[in-house]
Amino acid sequence: MKICLISFDFWHYDEHIVSKLKEKGIYAHHINSGAFTHKNFAARLKNTFSKVFLGKNLKNEQRQNFIIDSLQKIGKQDQILVINPEAIEDRVHQVIRSNTDRNIAYLYDSMQRNPAEHILHYFDQVFSFDDNDVDKFGFNKINNYNYLKYTPAERQNPELDLFYITSFDKTRIARLVNLSEKLRILNIKFKAIIAGKKSWKKRLQQIFDKKLVKNLDFRIGNIPQTEVLKLYSKSKAILDFQRNNQAGLSFRVFEAMALEKKFVTDNQDIKNYDFYNPENILILNKDFSNIEKSFFETEYQKLPEEIYYKYTLDHWVEKVFGL
């Protein structure tokens, strides 16, 4: 069987799907449009000029062509999975549709944040992790997946109580500052990394403004997954703030599950899942008044094996591709 995955894999989550398919003896290929770069400085300069003076992003157009060219090289596929297809132009979707017997979409962002109604007709099946979209559009519900190797808590020696990593977002930064003050008062050891191009302003401000919270680490570049996992291993719990206009479970939940880390979140819906255990998961209220140091001082309660398996990448690929 030939299966192709098409995505913009910025955080390198999608590549795990391809690796898992190959483990199962499937001829799998990943067309990662996020890996496309300018050939040289001249091409980069030309694109900058085009964006500023012509309002046209040549790099985006070249990424679209990159998908078409890659498909032509690998030939027709039995199945193609497109992750977050709204970023792909209609002309490219036509080519994708003609190059497979079964065309699948997976939306791991909400339709409210990234509308995709205009291209849904290209797909035989659409999966979504967002409960609201599943109810409204009749999508197939599937959660994100646990892609990590199981590492029991007793093999780790955490130094922090709580750790958080996120892309730059003003709303979440404001919440982080408020939460950080609560944690400081309770003597809870906490660190957060905020990554993204817009972080440079806050990083510069941090140098001169002593009032800015010091346990918030602003970084301009992307953080490699290997570094993220090392940081997770040094903490007893992982924090996650839910995005606005989005309902569903982030990858953070499953990373915590694989590493047997406690989980702190403002996602109220998490209590409806079968893995929910108040000993492991703290659901924050709006003013963070329910956070207590005792939550971090008790041991992680291990999940039953059958529940753990439901959220693994093994189970995910079997369900999506009908293996």
Side-chain angles (χ1 to χ4, degrees):
M1 181 183 290
K2 294 182 178 180
I3 295 178
C4 178
L5 169 62
I6 300 174
S7 69
F8 185 95
D9 195 11
F10 181 76
W11 290 101
H12 301 286
Y13 287 118
D14 307 340
E15 63 188 39
H16 296 289
I17 299 173
V18 178
S19 296
K20 182 58 65 176
L21 289 170
K22 288 180 178 179
E23 280 180 25
K24 294 179 178 293
I26 291 168
Y27 181 80
H29 190 88
H30 187 193
I31 299 176
N32 179 11
S33 61
F36 178 84
T37 58
H38 292 296
K39 291 182 178 180
N40 49 45
F41 177 75
R44 189 184 301 275
L45 190 64
K46 182 180 179 181
N47 188 54
T48 302
F49 179 88
S50 179
K51 284 195 293 185
V52 174
F53 297 102
L54 303 177
K56 186 176 182 180
N57 190 335
L58 297 178
K59 187 175 184 179
N60 181 61
E61 185 175 321
Q62 290 165 343
R63 278 180 174 147
Q64 305 292 322
N65 293 334
F66 171 72
I67 295 172
I68 294 175
D69 293 341
S70 299
L71 273 174
Q72 289 175 343
K73 290 178 182 177
I74 63 174
K76 189 170 182 178
Q77 303 290 296
D78 295 300
Q79 299 188 53
I80 291 179
L81 171 64
V82 185
I83 295 181
N84 280 20
E86 74 284 345
I88 297 175
E89 294 176 0
D90 190 86
R91 66 182 177 92
V92 182
H93 278 297
Q94 292 179 30
V95 176
I96 295 171
R97 175 70 269 187
S98 66
N99 274 272
T100 185
D101 296 322
R102 181 172 182 251
N103 197 25
I104 321 162
Y106 177 46
L107 315 179
Y108 57 40
D109 213 336
S110 67
M111 292 282 279
Q112 191 169 354
R113 285 175 50 83
N114 289 317
E117 291 96 330
H118 60 294
I119 44 87
L120 293 179
H121 61 282
Y122 286 110
F123 298 98
D124 299 301
Q125 204 166 7
V126 178
F127 291 90
S128 173
F129 84 123
D130 190 287
D131 293 314
N132 294 335
D133 287 347
V134 169
D135 292 339
K136 183 176 180 180
F137 298 98
F139 297 151
N140 295 272
K141 171 64 186 290
I142 195 167
N143 297 297
N144 286 323
Y145 44 82
N146 176 0
Y147 62 92
L148 294 176
K149 182 181 178 181
Y150 170 65
T151 307
E154 53 268 25
R155 293 185 191 172
Q156 303 172 60
N157 297 294
E159 303 164 0
L160 292 171
D161 293 312
L162 185 61
F163 174 73
Y164 182 45
I165 183 167
T166 181
S167 54
F168 188 93
D169 181 285
K170 288 183 178 179
T171 302
R172 281 186 283 192
I173 291 173
R175 299 206 73 198
L176 273 173
V177 171
N178 292 335
L179 175 61
S180 186
E181 178 59 20
K182 292 275 186 182
L183 298 174
R184 184 190 65 78
I185 294 171
L186 293 170
N187 196 30
I188 294 171
K189 297 178 182 178
F190 170 61
K191 180 179 179 178
I193 294 177
I194 301 95
K197 293 179 181 179
K198 295 181 180 179
S199 291
W200 71 269
K201 292 181 181 179
K202 285 287 185 180
R203 190 172 184 179
L204 186 64
Q205 182 185 352
Q206 220 169 21
I207 297 173
F208 299 101
D209 187 355
K210 292 183 179 180
K211 294 181 180 180
L212 198 64
V213 181
K214 297 302 180 184
N215 54 5
L216 305 187
D217 183 0
F218 293 93
R219 301 195 190 181
I220 300 170
N222 190 14
I223 312 298
Q225 254 184 30
T226 50
E227 182 180 347
V228 173
L229 297 179
K230 287 178 182 178
L231 291 165
Y232 281 159
S233 68
K234 294 179 181 179
S235 181
K236 296 177 182 176
I238 296 172
L239 172 68
D240 187 50
F241 282 136
Q242 193 172 28
R243 282 181 178 271
N244 292 333
N245 303 318
Q246 192 176 76
L249 301 176
S250 72
F251 277 104
R252 300 288 175 267
V253 181
F254 306 111
E255 290 163 343
M257 191 182 292
L259 300 173
E260 292 196 335
K261 301 296 180 182
K262 293 196 172 191
F263 197 66
V264 179
T265 180
D266 59 354
N267 185 348
Q268 302 297 315
D269 291 333
I270 201 169
K271 62 179 176 290
N272 299 320
Y273 288 84
D274 54 4
F275 60 79
Y276 173 70
N277 180 341
E279 292 292 319
N280 292 340
I281 300 174
L282 173 63
I283 304 175
L284 296 168
N285 56 22
K286 289 186 177 180
D287 62 359
F288 309 134
S289 60
N290 64 329
I291 194 163
E292 298 179 359
K293 189 172 178 61
S294 59
F295 174 76
F296 303 93
E297 294 174 338
T298 56
E299 292 185 357
Y300 178 90
Q301 303 295 306
K302 294 181 181 294
L303 293 177
E305 190 174 331
E306 64 274 14
I307 291 179
Y308 182 89
Y309 177 75
K310 281 176 60 178
Y311 301 97
T312 61
L313 183 53
D314 263 302
H315 183 261
W316 195 93
V317 297
E318 288 170 2
K319 183 174 181 179
V320 170
F321 299 107
L323 302 177

